[in-house]
PDB file of all heavy atoms in Angstrom:
ATOM      1  N   TRP A1355      11.563   0.691 -14.028  1.00 74.00           N
ATOM      2  CA  TRP A1355      11.210   1.512 -12.869  1.00 74.00           C
ATOM      3  C   TRP A1355      11.296   2.955 -13.331  1.00 74.00           C
ATOM      4  O   TRP A1355      12.351   3.408 -13.760  1.00 74.00           O
ATOM      5  CB  TRP A1355      12.189   1.263 -11.729  1.00 74.00           C
ATOM      6  CG  TRP A1355      12.084   2.236 -10.609  1.00 74.00           C
ATOM      7  CD1 TRP A1355      12.744   3.428 -10.496  1.00 74.00           C
ATOM      8  CD2 TRP A1355      11.274   2.124  -9.450  1.00 74.00           C
ATOM      9  NE1 TRP A1355      12.408   4.058  -9.337  1.00 74.00           N
ATOM     10  CE2 TRP A1355      11.500   3.279  -8.676  1.00 74.00           C
ATOM     11  CE3 TRP A1355      10.387   1.165  -8.985  1.00 74.00           C
ATOM     12  CZ2 TRP A1355      10.866   3.487  -7.461  1.00 74.00           C
ATOM     13  CZ3 TRP A1355       9.772   1.391  -7.776  1.00 74.00           C
ATOM     14  CH2 TRP A1355      10.012   2.531  -7.035  1.00 74.00           C
ATOM     15  N   ILE A1356      10.197   3.660 -13.288  1.00 76.00           N
ATOM     16  CA  ILE A1356      10.188   5.068 -13.666  1.00 76.00           C
ATOM     17  C   ILE A1356       9.883   5.849 -12.402  1.00 76.00           C
ATOM     18  O   ILE A1356       8.747   5.893 -11.935  1.00 76.00           O
ATOM     19  CB  ILE A1356       9.163   5.350 -14.777  1.00 76.00           C
ATOM     20  CG1 ILE A1356       9.473   4.472 -15.992  1.00 76.00           C
ATOM     21  CG2 ILE A1356       9.167   6.840 -15.137  1.00 76.00           C
ATOM     22  CD1 ILE A1356       8.469   4.553 -17.099  1.00 76.00           C
ATOM     23  N   CYS A1357      10.937   6.431 -11.852  1.00 72.00           N
ATOM     24  CA  CYS A1357      10.866   7.056 -10.535  1.00 72.00           C
ATOM     25  C   CYS A1357       9.735   8.080 -10.439  1.00 72.00           C
ATOM     26  O   CYS A1357       8.971   8.065  -9.491  1.00 72.00           O
ATOM     27  CB  CYS A1357      12.214   7.704 -10.216  1.00 72.00           C
ATOM     28  SG  CYS A1357      12.320   8.390  -8.574  1.00 72.00           S
ATOM     29  N   SER A1358       9.622   8.943 -11.420  1.00 71.00           N
ATOM     30  CA  SER A1358       8.614  10.007 -11.337  1.00 71.00           C
ATOM     31  C   SER A1358       7.191   9.449 -11.354  1.00 71.00           C
ATOM     32  O   SER A1358       6.267  10.096 -10.879  1.00 71.00           O
ATOM     33  CB  SER A1358       8.799  11.027 -12.453  1.00 71.00           C
ATOM     34  OG  SER A1358       8.706  10.401 -13.711  1.00 71.00           O
ATOM     35  N   PHE A1359       7.008   8.249 -11.893  1.00 73.00           N
ATOM     36  CA  PHE A1359       5.690   7.620 -11.901  1.00 73.00           C
ATOM     37  C   PHE A1359       5.513   6.671 -10.725  1.00 73.00           C
ATOM     38  O   PHE A1359       4.394   6.403 -10.307  1.00 73.00           O
ATOM     39  CB  PHE A1359       5.451   6.849 -13.196  1.00 73.00           C
ATOM     40  CG  PHE A1359       5.478   7.703 -14.424  1.00 73.00           C
ATOM     41  CD1 PHE A1359       6.037   7.216 -15.584  1.00 73.00           C
ATOM     42  CD2 PHE A1359       4.966   8.986 -14.433  1.00 73.00           C
ATOM     43  CE1 PHE A1359       6.070   7.986 -16.737  1.00 73.00           C
ATOM     44  CE2 PHE A1359       5.003   9.771 -15.572  1.00 73.00           C
ATOM     45  CZ  PHE A1359       5.554   9.268 -16.725  1.00 73.00           C
ATOM     46  N   SER A1360       6.594   6.145 -10.215  1.00 72.00           N
ATOM     47  CA  SER A1360       6.526   5.132  -9.160  1.00 72.00           C
ATOM     48  C   SER A1360       6.442   5.721  -7.764  1.00 72.00           C
ATOM     49  O   SER A1360       5.962   5.075  -6.844  1.00 72.00           O
ATOM     50  CB  SER A1360       7.741   4.214  -9.247  1.00 72.00           C
ATOM     51  OG  SER A1360       7.770   3.578 -10.501  1.00 72.00           O
ATOM     52  N   ASN A1361       6.951   6.925  -7.601  1.00 74.00           N
ATOM     53  CA  ASN A1361       6.905   7.591  -6.298  1.00 74.00           C
ATOM     54  C   ASN A1361       5.816   8.639  -6.290  1.00 74.00           C
ATOM     55  O   ASN A1361       5.638   9.359  -7.264  1.00 74.00           O
ATOM     56  CB  ASN A1361       8.243   8.280  -6.001  1.00 74.00           C
ATOM     57  CG  ASN A1361       9.355   7.294  -5.786  1.00 74.00           C
ATOM     58  OD1 ASN A1361       9.153   6.249  -5.206  1.00 74.00           O
ATOM     59  ND2 ASN A1361      10.534   7.628  -6.261  1.00 74.00           N
ATOM     60  N   ASN A1362       5.124   8.721  -5.172  1.00 76.00           N
ATOM     61  CA  ASN A1362       4.121   9.762  -5.012  1.00 76.00           C
ATOM     62  C   ASN A1362       4.850  11.085  -4.828  1.00 76.00           C
ATOM     63  O   ASN A1362       5.416  11.347  -3.760  1.00 76.00           O
ATOM     64  CB  ASN A1362       3.225   9.447  -3.816  1.00 76.00           C
ATOM     65  CG  ASN A1362       2.114  10.450  -3.647  1.00 76.00           C
ATOM     66  OD1 ASN A1362       2.187  11.580  -4.125  1.00 76.00           O
ATOM     67  ND2 ASN A1362       1.067  10.041  -2.971  1.00 76.00           N
ATOM     68  N   GLN A1363       4.857  11.913  -5.852  1.00 73.00           N
ATOM     69  CA  GLN A1363       5.607  13.164  -5.834  1.00 73.00           C
ATOM     70  C   GLN A1363       5.052  14.176  -4.835  1.00 73.00           C
ATOM     71  O   GLN A1363       5.739  15.127  -4.475  1.00 73.00           O
ATOM     72  CB  GLN A1363       5.644  13.769  -7.241  1.00 73.00           C
ATOM     73  CG  GLN A1363       6.301  12.865  -8.268  1.00 73.00           C
ATOM     74  CD  GLN A1363       7.761  12.601  -7.970  1.00 73.00           C
ATOM     75  OE1 GLN A1363       8.535  13.519  -7.758  1.00 73.00           O
ATOM     76  NE2 GLN A1363       8.145  11.336  -7.941  1.00 73.00           N
ATOM     77  N   GLU A1410      20.930   9.295  -8.213  1.00 86.00           N
ATOM     78  CA  GLU A1410      20.739   8.059  -8.961  1.00 86.00           C
ATOM     79  C   GLU A1410      21.881   7.813  -9.937  1.00 86.00           C
ATOM     80  O   GLU A1410      22.332   6.674 -10.092  1.00 86.00           O
ATOM     81  CB  GLU A1410      19.388   8.079  -9.673  1.00 86.00           C
ATOM     82  CG  GLU A1410      18.240   8.001  -8.686  1.00 86.00           C
ATOM     83  CD  GLU A1410      16.885   8.281  -9.301  1.00 86.00           C
ATOM     84  OE1 GLU A1410      16.808   8.674 -10.478  1.00 86.00           O
ATOM     85  OE2 GLU A1410      15.888   8.102  -8.595  1.00 86.00           O
TER      86      GLU A1410
END
Side-chain angles (χ1 to χ4, degrees):
W1355 169 271
I1356 303 174
C1357 185
S1358 59
F1359 298 142
S1360 300
N1361 292 323
N1362 183 338
Q1363 300 297 309
E1410 291 169 353

